[in-house]
Amino acid sequence: MIEVSALTKSYGPIEALRGVSFHISRGEIVGLLGPNGAGKTTILKILTGYLQPDEGTILIHGLNALEHPREVQAQIGYLPETAPLYPELTVQSYLQLMADLRQVPEERQREHFSAAVYATGLQGHLTRPIGQLSRGFRQRVGLAQAIMHQPQILILDEPTVGLDPTQIVEIRQLIRRLAQHTTVLFSTHILSEVETLCDRAIILMNGEVRADARLSDLAATSNAVMVLSNAVLDAPAALRNLEGVRAVETFRSDDGFPAYRILGDSAMGVELCPVIYDLARSRQWALRELRRDVRTLETVFNELATRAEVAA
Ligand code: ATP
């Protein structure tokens, strides 16, 4: 549904994006997670046609977004970091204005308006000026304008930033409800937000995608870590050939030894350590350590952040 390939973007000397690629399928709810300055807003602005990339392509339903911006924008609802609200307008006038701007056909405006108002729980607030609403309700108005044209894709830039804890819970519930009918991509720097809301997290650091994983895979207990005393060239390939192994990552252990993270295919439910142990014995690998690897989003994020700091 959304296919982003090799996006690059610089602001003068600042390389904000360096070859970002990812794919999002229909119905997914994906969190774009990264620290401040990672490039999240830049990606969302490019996806929504507010910014041109230097290089790269974006396909939305197979349509090139850079060549057909209007057609693509009609399929996307966007809530920027600062919602484009007019404080002096009432909720009703503002949403009607947005329905006009989004070119919702006149005969469908009433239906679209009611659906957006109902979905965001704004029924009792239509006559209030936006400037008098709490931040949480202003954010609801921002969401209502984003879904006014009933887009198939919803893109939200840090939708809960600046809200109090109760408002955060309400907006998250709202996003979850909207995601029942819409593909959602939202940015955040809050790990728990991704854990509460998403099927998948794309972790962005320094303008690069550092991880792209389903949360259920991250939580799978069937992963393992093997540390060897000496590097073995064909170890990754041999590990990959084991039944139930989905992927193998190589890295250095904290004390500097060659290490392999073996990711299990959670659907197969294979306990990996015994099979890896048998393989290591049969190949006479100098095994230093073999353990199950239970990873949370937080561990993944911290590992990546540490690696990014070391590389910087
Ligand atoms: P935040 O969470 O702070 O909004 P982000 O992950 O959304 O961060 P971006 O806003 O995309 O990151 O910024 C990526 C990089 O590009 C940062 O280094 C930022 O300072 C820089 N940048 C963004 N917009 C501009 C601009 N208009 N001019 C110059 N540099 C910019």
Side-chain angles (χ1 to χ4, degrees), residues 259-281:
Y260 307 85
R261 180 169 290 109
I262 301 108
L263 306 180
D265 184 342
S266 39
M268 298 192 62
V270 175
E271 187 54 66
L272 291 176
C273 285
V275 259
I276 295 168
Y277 181 71
D278 288 344
L279 177 73
R281 260 177 54 132

Side-chain angles (χ1 to χ4, degrees), residues 15 34 47 58 82 106 146 172 191 206 211 239 248 286 289-290 300:
E15 276 187 281
L47 279 176
I58 301 163
T82 315
E106 215 170 317
R172 285 182 187 164
L191 285 161
N206 294 327
L239 290 164
V248 176
E289 190 185 337
L290 179 62
V300 174

Side-chain angles (χ1 to χ4, degrees), residues 9-17 32-45 51 81 157-158 161 187-189 204 206-207:
K9 174 75 189 172
S10 293
Y11 300 100
I14 299 170
E15 276 187 281
L17 302 180
L32 189 58
L33 180 66
N36 290 338
K40 305 181 294 295
T41 298
T42 303
I43 291 181
L44 301 188
K45 280 185 178 165
L51 204 61
E81 214 166 357
D157 197 352
E158 307 238 10
V161 84
S187 71
T188 181
H189 57 272
L204 195 72
N206 294 327

